[in-house]
Amino acid sequence: MSTLEIKDLHASVTTEDGPKEILRGVNLTIRAGETHAIMGPNGSGKSTLAYAIAGHPKYETTSGEVLLDGENVLEMTVDERARAGLFLAMQYPVEVPGVSMANFLRSAATATRGEAPKLRTWVKEVKSAMSDLDIDAEFADRSVNEGFSGGEKKRHEVLQLALLNPKIAVLDETDSGLDVDALRVVSEGINRYRASGENGVLLITHYTRILNHIKPDKVHVFAGGKIVESGGPELADELEANGYVRFTGAEAASVESGLANAR
Amino acid sequence: MTTEVSGLAPELKGAKEGQGEVPIASAGERFQSFDVNAFEVPGGREENWRFTPMRRLRGLHDGTAAFDGTAAISVTETGGVTVETVGRDDSRLGEAGVPADRVAAAAWSSFREATVVSLDGTPDPVTVTVEGPGVGATAASHLQIRTTPNTEATVVVVRQGSGALADNLEVVLAEASRLTLVVTEEWADDAVHVGAEHLSIGKDATLRGTAVQLGGDLVRVSSTIRYAAPGGDAELLGLGFADGGQHLEQRLLVDHAQPNCTSNVFYKNALQTNDANDPAHTVWIGDVLIRAAAENTRTFEFNRNLVLTEHARADSVPNLEIETGEIAGAGHASTTGRFDDEQLFYLQSRGIPERDARRLVVRAFFHEILHKIKLPELRERLEEAVEAELAVTGV
Ligand SMILES: Nc1ncnc2c1ncn2[C@@H]1O[C@H](COP(=O)(O)OP(=O)(O)O)[C@@H](O)[C@H]1O
Ligand SMILES: [Mg+2]
């Protein structure tokens, strides 16, 4: 049973004008079987948190810890983190021209499982996982994400989630850009992954609608680079009704008091 | 009849120079001569030399190369294959074409004996090995490969070793013959090779060519494809892998002057280096000329480059000149893509180690070319050579 612990995480993004601090002390623990939703306004740093956990080279963690079952994730390379059991479904999946989806999936499965899956069972496994997500078989021969629509890219992120079966999955706006049917298909995919009860999910979203399909155990409001409030599913209902104003307002207030203290 | 002419692919990034915006004289009207002295010594600013690092040419272009070395040519002989060593006066020499640059003319003016390989019937695959003259030496050589009508053959030309070589390779395809020709540049690190290829396609003849550039310090091959009669079909594939310090240059002119012929050019280059002081450079020039008489021509040329690291530069200049409206189809395109940090991150985020991620991308990139090589041993050897290139740079 796995646990991901994020402790007082600070991170900055590398920009042309130098590093810019985005994460300002994130604390969060996700245990196997739990689904945590992180909700927050655009630009609050949700993707930065996801990338920092996955080890994107543009994001530098300046202090704090990320531990997977006690192991320091921040010391691992990107691929080591994935092999340790972390997975990030990206908000904007990357196109890799020339490399077929089939070849990519097999390489990824070989890497994360530690050995090449047996060809016959593998082909069946991929086919059935694709059909579960209403993905046409022809996608196996296409280049990774190249020319895929937004929705097709998201389905393929969930396809990878299904095949790699990580201990902890971070899903960054996997719901955005999906129509109603696609949202249902993708949500069902995520729920199948959750069904074992052995995996933890960090579900990052801007909208509450995916929470009608995927019931979170905890909801966290993210603003100004950190979690500003945590609660149960009812917190999502409040956000649905009132939006983020209360939290962005609170953030502004805390900035003011910070200034006052500095004075 | 539909005429489609496509321009440069919109995703074109790295191929900024010479996209036909600079008006140059028609590729078909270039100067040709067997006599080296008929050519001015190129200084490097000329259109056909502007990408080539002249100082690394070992004097092949300016008369300072002594050409006193020997590039030994050996041929595996099987039934249906005749190998002759002939003098300069052999009337068959020059049948496929005339030198069009000073190095090709220098090679022509300097070779002592030529090798003529004649193919008849359906011989087993033939391997021709060209061995460089050795470190510090320069050599000129001449090789002609010819078929009799209806022959169906495969020839692999392997160029290897050290030193500097200027040469002409002639291919003369008789009526309705079919030749699969694989030419590999597997030179040692010091080698310089400047070659001219003259490919003459007979009536209803078919050429399936694959050019592979892997080794050498500087390799520059200029190929001219001409159709001697209607109905010819040429497929020209190319693969180049330049690493630190290498200059690999591929220049093609497909000259359609006969009706009902097709040409299909598809070259792919990958580049990588781990050292800013040792840049990798590839050059691909693809000229296709469709003359007024060449009705019902179908032609397509495509160059794709994959830049794997910084300090690597791929120049790509596709150029299509059409003098008749009566063509079946014509198109050209060039794309230069970068294997970037985002792609690497994406692959790594699925557990794939960095080295494997690069391999995955390069293997997939070259697969399109290599899988068409039907000789399993050769294909495996080239696949391994590509892997070895990746390992050398160790990025
Ligand atoms: N590569 C980058 N360069 C400059 N600023 C960035 C970069 N990535 C993120 N940011 C900035 O960091 C902040 C947080 O971005 P992000 O983590 O993407 O937010 P979210 O996912 O919550 O919308 C934003 O202000 C964004 O503009
Ligand atoms: Mg985001």
Side-chain angles (χ1 to χ4, degrees):
Chain A
M1 287 292 179
S2 299
T3 304
L4 182 74
E5 295 167 88
I6 302 168
K7 296 182 181 172
D8 193 30
L9 187 67
H10 291 250
S12 52
V13 63
T14 316
T15 72
E16 280 163 11
D17 311 324
K20 174 179 168 189
E21 189 179 32
I22 308 290
L23 298 187
R24 298 186 166 99
V26 180
N27 289 289
L28 182 62
T29 299
I30 300 165
R31 293 189 183 78
E34 294 177 354
T35 296
H36 293 241
I38 284 196
M39 305 194 60
N42 282 329
S44 57
K46 304 184 297 297
S47 290
T48 302
L49 174 63
Y51 280 135
I53 295 169
H56 192 291
K58 259 197 184 160
Y59 299 84
E60 195 198 346
T61 48
T62 46
S63 67
E65 285 187 300
V66 179
L67 305 174
L68 177 61
D69 300 331
E71 300 277 333
N72 187 348
V73 166
L74 300 181
E75 279 177 2
M76 301 179 192
T77 62
V78 175
D79 48 302
E80 284 168 351
R81 297 179 197 202
R83 293 198 298 276
L86 284 176
F87 179 88
L88 168 59
M90 295 185 204
Q91 186 174 0
Y92 302 107
V94 181
E95 301 190 358
V96 189
V99 177
S100 72
M101 207 71 207
N103 200 351
F104 164 63
L105 292 174
R106 191 165 163 79
S107 300
T110 301
T112 52
R113 296 178 191 184
E115 61 178 355
K118 294 233 164 29
L119 204 53
R120 277 187 55 202
T121 50
W122 171 248
V123 171
K124 273 190 206 150
E125 194 182 338
V126 174
K127 271 193 181 150
S128 97
M130 286 174 81
S131 84
D132 285 345
L133 289 159
D134 276 354
I135 296 172
D136 197 292
E138 61 113 6
F139 277 92
D141 296 325
R142 289 182 51 179
S143 290
V144 174
N145 292 323
E146 193 181 34
F148 291 18
S149 70
E152 285 162 353
K153 285 181 180 167
K154 296 301 174 73
R155 284 175 203 235
H156 280 85
E157 293 293 284
V158 178
L159 174 66
Q160 292 162 51
L161 176 72
L163 292 170
L164 303 182
N165 193 32
K167 292 175 180 163
I168 303 284
V170 179
L171 310 175
D172 189 3
E173 296 208 21
T174 302
D175 56 329
S176 65
L178 299 180
D179 61 31
V180 179
D181 289 335
L183 180 65
R184 182 181 44 76
V185 168
V186 159
S187 301
E188 284 169 5
I190 296 167
N191 284 331
R192 274 192 299 276
Y193 162 73
R194 296 201 306 159
S196 71
E198 291 172 5
N199 306 319
V201 175
L202 181 59
L203 185 72
I204 295 172
T205 181
H206 182 71
Y207 303 104
T208 51
R209 62 174 192 163
I210 193 171
L211 304 181
N212 299 329
H213 299 268
I214 300 172
K215 288 279 163 248
D217 302 292
K218 294 261 168 57
V219 174
H220 310 276
V221 181
F222 207 80
K226 60 184 178 204
I227 291 171
V228 292
E229 183 149 332
S230 298
E234 72 287 348
L235 187 52
D237 300 333
E238 192 210 319
L239 290 171
E240 170 87 66
N242 303 327
Y244 293 111
V245 185
R246 174 159 82 83
F247 303 102
T248 47
E251 183 208 348
S254 80
V255 169
E256 268 170 30
S257 66
L259 284 174
N261 289 343
R263 218 178 280 147
Chain B
M1 190 178 306
T2 58
T3 301
E4 44 169 279
V5 180
S6 65
L8 290 171
E11 64 269 39
L12 179 86
K13 277 187 208 144
K16 295 276 188 288
E17 281 169 77
Q19 295 162 17
E21 288 148 3
V22 188
I24 51 164
S26 166
E29 278 152 33
R30 60 189 186 170
F31 180 74
Q32 309 189 131
S33 173
F34 290 109
D35 178 11
V36 61
N37 294 315
F39 290 86
E40 302 258 3
V41 172
R45 288 170 180 270
E46 299 77 6
E47 180 58 32
N48 65 339
W49 289 104
R50 65 189 179 100
F51 292 108
T52 311
M54 308 302 283
R55 271 183 298 179
R56 283 157 63 186
L57 282 177
R58 312 275 167 84
L60 298 177
H61 64 301
D62 63 6
T64 60
F67 291 121
D68 53 0
T70 307
I73 297 178
S74 54
V75 186
T76 57
E77 290 183 54
T78 58
V81 181
T82 309
V83 183
E84 299 163 83
T85 303
V86 303
R88 298 179 54 84
D89 56 349
D90 191 288
S91 63
R92 293 169 296 183
L93 302 185
E95 197 177 327
V98 183
D101 66 53
R102 198 172 196 278
V103 176
W108 191 287
S109 300
S110 306
F111 78 87
R112 288 180 286 275
E113 289 173 323
T115 303
V116 177
V117 178
S118 304
L119 305 158
D120 182 49
T122 54
D124 287 339
V126 182
T127 299
V128 179
T129 306
V130 180
E131 188 73 33
V135 176
T138 53
S141 81
H142 196 99
L143 170 65
Q144 186 181 77
I145 298 167
R146 49 193 305 126
T147 59
T148 56
N150 301 307
T151 285
E152 210 169 324
T154 295
V155 176
V156 181
V157 177
V158 178
R159 298 201 180 101
Q160 60 187 34
S162 287
L165 174 69
D167 71 348
N168 287 276
L169 165 62
E170 290 186 73
V171 175
V172 185
L173 297 192
E175 180 170 344
S177 64
R178 300 173 64 86
L179 178 68
T180 298
L181 175 66
V182 183
V183 180
T184 68
E185 310 277 350
E186 298 178 77
W187 299 103
D189 289 346
D190 71 294
V192 170
H193 174 224
V194 180
E197 293 181 350
H198 314 274
L199 311 163
S200 170
I201 319 284
K203 184 173 191 304
D204 299 328
T206 302
L207 175 67
R208 295 272 172 268
T210 305
V212 179
Q213 296 189 344
L214 294 174
D217 172 67
L218 185 161
V219 174
R220 170 184 151 124
V221 177
S222 307
S223 308
T224 305
I225 296 87
R226 288 204 172 80
Y227 299 85
D233 175 10
E235 176 186 76
L236 303 159
L237 306 177
L239 175 166
F241 198 146
D243 47 34
Q246 279 190 299
H247 174 92
L248 303 179
E249 183 165 347
Q250 305 139 344
R251 312 181 64 90
L252 292 122
L253 167 61
V254 185
D255 187 346
H256 281 278
Q258 294 284 341
N260 305 320
C261 294
T262 62
S263 61
N264 202 339
V265 176
F266 185 28
Y267 271 61
K268 299 185 100 170
N269 291 317
L271 302 88
Q272 67 171 10
T273 179
N274 55 5
D275 186 351
N277 297 316
D278 251 349
H281 192 194
T282 62
V283 178
W284 180 84
I285 311 291
D287 286 324
V288 175
L289 173 59
I290 307 174
R291 296 180 193 258
E295 291 183 359
N296 205 24
T297 292
R298 185 178 290 281
T299 176
F300 191 76
E301 55 165 351
F302 189 20
N303 172 225
R304 273 196 75 173
N305 300 303
L306 175 63
V307 179
L308 291 161
T309 62
E310 289 182 74
H311 317 300
R313 170 177 162 150
D315 286 295
S316 179
V317 187
N319 181 40
L320 182 59
E321 290 175 55
I322 305 177
E323 295 173 1
T324 172
E326 302 295 304
I327 57 173
H332 64 169
S334 162
T335 65
T336 295
R338 200 168 251 291
F339 179 59
D340 62 23
D341 291 346
E342 294 294 330
Q343 292 168 342
L344 179 61
F345 170 70
Y346 190 73
L347 296 175
Q348 280 187 285
S349 79
R350 293 342 184 204
I352 303 169
E354 175 166 0
R355 276 179 67 139
D356 293 355
R358 285 185 189 280
R359 280 205 182 136
L360 190 66
V361 168
V362 172
R363 248 188 235 152
F365 182 71
F366 284 138
H367 177 75
E368 260 181 304
I369 304 290
L370 289 175
H371 86 104
K372 293 205 175 184
I373 294 178
K374 298 301 177 206
L375 302 170
E377 278 175 26
L378 175 65
R379 188 179 57 238
E380 279 162 30
R381 185 161 64 77
L382 293 174
E383 280 165 357
E384 280 167 24
V386 167
E387 301 277 313
E389 291 276 328
L390 279 167
V392 166
T393 305
V395 286

